[in-house]
Structures are given as structure tokens and as C-alpha cells.
Amino acid sequence: MIDFTDTADVVAPQLLGTVLTHNGVSVRITEVEAYLGADDEASHTFNGRTPRNAAMFGPPGRLYVYMSYGIHRNGNIVCAPEGTGQGCLLRGGEVIDGVDLAYQRRGDTEFHNLARGPGNLGKALGFRLEDNGTPVELSPRAEEPEWVRGPRIGISKNQDAALRFWIPFDKSVSRRRGLPR
């Protein structure tokens, strides 16, 4: 059982291989990034609480859903003690149930791309801004998968911090632009 009151960098690798079910779709999580609140200038909560990021300061084990680039609904699982503002960005996963519904939401794409990348994962799971603060429905993993850790992707601040965790060689995992898988 994951203790969501632990810091995001401790929780993140524990999420790999678990199954998140939301709005009729279940995804096996293959990639996450940890955001460490006031200690991490890339975190939405680095400068404190705002109406947009308030869910990140709420009870751990809940969703923080936000709009990215005006179109994507990305999701984090809130971690650390309440009031801390830490979370794990859900970056990628493999759809294991609700595949037809995920295809309806995502359109014509290859199977491994259904929930590859935070925007695609959010769309496959049907994340809405109204989901902010709702408890996550997470099934435990059967066994701990092999995982690796490295720099985060797609951010401009604190980008070299080794706070991205993923299952190596899984096709649903993103890659840094210009680098091989």
C-alpha cells in the first residue's frame, strides 16, 4: 500500500506498475515525475498556494488536474503531508481496460500512444478540471517492476533534477526529443 504522505520522490517509483481507474478507463502507470513543492522551482506550488493549484495542498492521495497549453488536462497525484504542495505528474501508461472508450477520447492512434504523454493520458482517462481534489482509485501492482530515474521532460526550470521515473523499454513511455528510446 502506498503511503501518499511520503514525499513525491518517494511515492513516484511506487506508482509504477499500479493501475489507475478513472471515468471508465484503467491505465497501468509506466511513467511519472515528482514535483517537490517549495523546494522545486518547476513545481506549480513553488510560489505558494493559488486558486489554480489549491488541490496540490489538499489531502494526499487525491488528484490535481490542471489545463496545459489551454487544451490538455494533465493530472497529478497529491503527495506529502497536507499543506506541503507536492505531487506526482502522471506522464504515461498502458490502457488495460476501457480501450474502446480511450480510443473514442483520443481518436485514431497506435495503441501504445493512447496514454503516452501527460496530455494523452489525461484525455484517455477523461480528466476534467472538476476532478480536482477527488480521491484516486488505484489498484496495487502485482510485483515491483524494474524502473529507472532521470531528468524530467518538457520543463524549463530545474530540468536536470532526476525526478522522472519510468519502466524502461515500455512503449507507452515518452522520450526526450532527439534521443532514442
Side-chain angles (χ1 to χ4, degrees):
M1 189 76 168
I2 297 173
D3 181 0
F4 290 108
T5 63
D6 279 333
T7 58
D9 57 330
V10 171
V11 171
Q14 295 177 55
L15 291 171
L16 297 172
T18 63
V19 175
L20 175 65
T21 300
H22 190 79
N23 287 336
V25 173
S26 297
V27 171
R28 181 180 62 89
I29 299 172
T30 60
E31 180 183 13
V32 296
E33 288 179 348
Y35 287 87
L36 302 176
D39 295 328
D40 181 358
E41 66 178 323
S43 177
H44 285 191
T45 60
F46 178 70
N47 291 316
R49 187 183 188 120
T50 67
R52 178 187 185 213
N53 71 18
M56 280 278 275
F57 290 92
R62 296 179 180 257
L63 282 175
Y64 162 55
V65 178
Y66 66 95
M67 189 175 298
S68 175
Y69 299 111
I71 53 173
H72 302 294
R73 307 303 187 282
N74 295 350
N76 288 256
I77 297 178
V78 177
C79 304
E82 190 166 350
T84 307
Q86 294 190 26
C88 294
L89 173 66
L90 302 168
R91 282 206 53 88
E94 175 191 11
V95 177
I96 61 168
D97 194 33
V99 174
D100 291 340
L101 184 54
Y103 270 113
Q104 286 174 20
R105 292 174 178 158
R106 284 275 294 119
D108 187 25
T109 188
E110 293 183 55
F111 177 76
H112 68 272
N113 287 330
L114 278 173
R116 181 179 178 205
N120 293 333
L121 185 142
K123 193 167 189 179
L125 288 169
F127 283 159
R128 302 165 302 140
L129 296 178
E130 296 81 16
D131 293 325
N132 256 335
T134 60
V136 294
E137 188 178 331
L138 202 61
S139 300
R141 56 192 182 192
E143 59 186 43
E144 181 177 0
E146 177 186 351
W147 56 270
V148 293
R149 150 186 214 159
R152 295 181 288 201
I153 296 177
I155 58 172
S156 59
K157 297 176 181 174
N158 203 15
Q159 60 187 347
D160 293 329
L163 293 172
R164 178 173 159 247
F165 303 82
W166 69 95
I167 297 174
F169 309 111
D170 191 291
K171 288 185 175 186
S172 66
V173 171
S174 335
R175 61 183 173 86
R176 292 182 88 137
R177 295 197 194 298
L179 295 177
R181 217 183 258 287

